[in-house]
Amino acid sequence: MELRQLRYFVAIAEHGTFSKAASKVHIAQSALSHQLAQLEGELGATLFLRSRRGVTLTEAGALFHVHALSILRQVADAQASVSSLIKAPSGRVIFGLPHSISHALALPLIAAVRQGLPQVNLELTEELTGNLARQLQAGSLHLSILFDDGQLDDFLYESLVSERMSLIYAATEQGRQSDQPRASISFREALGKPLILPANPHGVRPIIEEAASKAGLQLPNVIADISSISILRNSLLAGLGQTILPVMPLKAEIEAGLLRSLPIRAPEVTRTVALCRARHIPVSAAAEAVSAVAKRVMRDLCEKKIWTDARFIG
């Protein structure tokens, strides 16, 4: 199996036809077909389904596609790392962010990398935490933010930020919460509210359930599983339920008076934000440099109180 065969295979998968792929990789279509036939013969599997409109990946092809992309990325990283020995870090770095972290970190990280690492092409991808973990393990991401819920042993990680969680609800719910303004709410009471939370194993859901179990409390009263911040926001604004989350993802609505938040006490509930990389895949010099920038940005955001209810612990 040769690297060029992997590149040809990926080109066919991306373009959907042999003619377009052949033009992209600058070889004759007949030569491209021959190389694919050799690759399928070596693998003992058909990688594409052919039709008049083009080709689509088979189940085996889809599986091989993940590995091919990872291998080609590692080759590019190796080339960039050697090049970085004699000049500034350069190359592409794919960085994963959970939906509920992107509001705090995405723009400051982009600005810092652009200023400090001008030759690095930073690509941010926003996903559910369960999906980010799988992509990081497969080598599709260089770095990712994940939450330390005790399940990060498959990764090399550094815990950097502790975020306090609050009960968040529509401002129209204020009269139903209490006759008097409150400074906080107990974890037991918050768990009993009609809650909208991410589906397991995403986001804060496993953290909340683990904290409830350790405190000897009932599991959260979940009335809807919503793993999208935008849909969650609209659901809260419509008064369809409440949620347990750090305030940062909904800070704009809270400051505008559309949503309210009550810090959770007795016990306080926090989530730990960790910067992760795959344990079995070396990272490039560019990814190492972005990692250092990300840690500095997270520290600054916490120390300057821009990241609300967050404490730097790195």
Side-chain angles (χ1 to χ4, degrees):
M1 189 181 300
E2 300 177 10
L3 284 176
R4 63 173 179 171
Q5 292 175 325
L6 298 185
R7 294 190 178 98
Y8 296 161
F9 164 75
V10 168
I12 298 169
E14 289 179 351
H15 293 280
T17 68
F18 280 82
S19 58
K20 291 180 180 179
S23 176
K24 178 68 176 180
V25 297
H26 307 293
I27 66 169
Q29 186 172 333
S30 58
L32 182 65
S33 298
H34 177 69
Q35 290 294 330
L36 178 64
Q38 284 189 325
L39 180 61
E40 289 180 321
E42 185 172 348
L43 292 171
T46 299
L47 300 176
F48 291 101
L49 295 174
R50 280 79 164 172
S51 70
R52 292 180 179 178
R53 291 180 292 182
V55 296
T56 56
L57 289 167
T58 62
E59 183 178 358
L63 179 62
F64 186 69
H65 188 243
V66 173
H67 291 287
L69 288 174
S70 177
I71 292 167
L72 292 175
R73 181 183 73 76
Q74 290 179 62
V75 170
D77 288 348
Q79 293 170 334
S81 293
V82 172
S83 177
S84 296
L85 288 174
I86 57 175
K87 57 185 180 181
S90 63
R92 183 184 182 206
V93 176
I94 309 174
F95 196 116
L97 289 175
H99 296 297
S100 60
I101 290 294
S102 62
H103 182 73
L105 187 57
L107 295 184
L109 181 59
I110 291 171
V113 170
R114 182 178 295 176
Q115 180 179 13
L117 301 170
Q119 297 183 53
V120 171
N121 176 20
L122 178 64
E123 178 183 333
L124 296 184
T125 179
E126 187 181 42
E127 266 282 7
L128 300 174
T129 50
N131 296 343
L132 289 173
R134 287 191 291 271
Q135 292 173 22
L136 190 61
Q137 190 74 281
S140 300
L141 301 175
H142 294 91
L143 302 166
S144 183
I145 296 295
L146 297 173
F147 304 124
D148 185 1
D149 56 0
Q151 306 296 319
L152 295 182
D153 289 344
D154 289 339
F155 305 103
L156 296 175
Y157 68 96
E158 189 172 356
S159 297
L160 296 175
V161 174
S162 176
E163 281 189 292
R164 184 181 68 191
M165 291 203 275
S166 297
L167 180 74
I168 302 175
Y169 53 93
T172 53
E173 293 274 322
Q174 177 67 31
R176 282 178 265 175
Q177 297 291 328
S178 173
D179 292 333
Q180 299 295 327
R182 305 173 63 177
S184 63
I185 188 171
S186 72
F187 190 29
R188 180 188 298 273
E189 187 178 354
L191 290 169
K193 298 294 184 181
L195 295 174
I196 303 172
L197 293 176
N200 262 322
H202 303 297
V204 297
R205 182 69 168 271
I207 298 170
I208 293 170
E209 292 185 352
E210 177 67 16
S213 177
K214 286 184 177 180
L217 300 174
Q218 77 276 13
L219 290 176
N221 175 30
V222 180
I223 62 169
D225 295 318
I226 296 179
S227 300
S228 161
I229 285 293
S230 61
I231 299 175
L232 172 62
R233 179 186 297 110
N234 291 336
S235 300
L236 296 176
L237 291 172
L240 299 181
Q242 303 171 36
T243 195
I244 295 175
L245 200 69
V247 300
M248 199 63 188
L250 300 166
K251 183 179 180 181
E253 289 75 18
I254 293 171
E255 290 182 341
L258 300 174
L259 297 176
R260 303 285 175 85
S261 65
L262 285 175
I264 295 173
R265 306 291 188 191
E268 182 176 85
V269 182
T270 62
R271 73 175 179 185
T272 301
V273 179
L275 179 59
C276 306
R277 63 183 67 179
R279 185 177 291 276
H280 62 290
I281 303 175
V283 296
S284 65
E288 288 282 10
V290 169
S291 176
V293 170
K295 286 187 279 188
R296 185 177 71 247
V297 167
M298 294 167 78
R299 182 190 65 232
D300 290 347
L301 291 173
C302 292
E303 292 179 351
K304 294 176 182 177
K305 307 299 183 184
I306 298 171
W307 194 334
T308 306
D309 287 351
R311 179 171 59 90
F312 189 74
I313 59 174

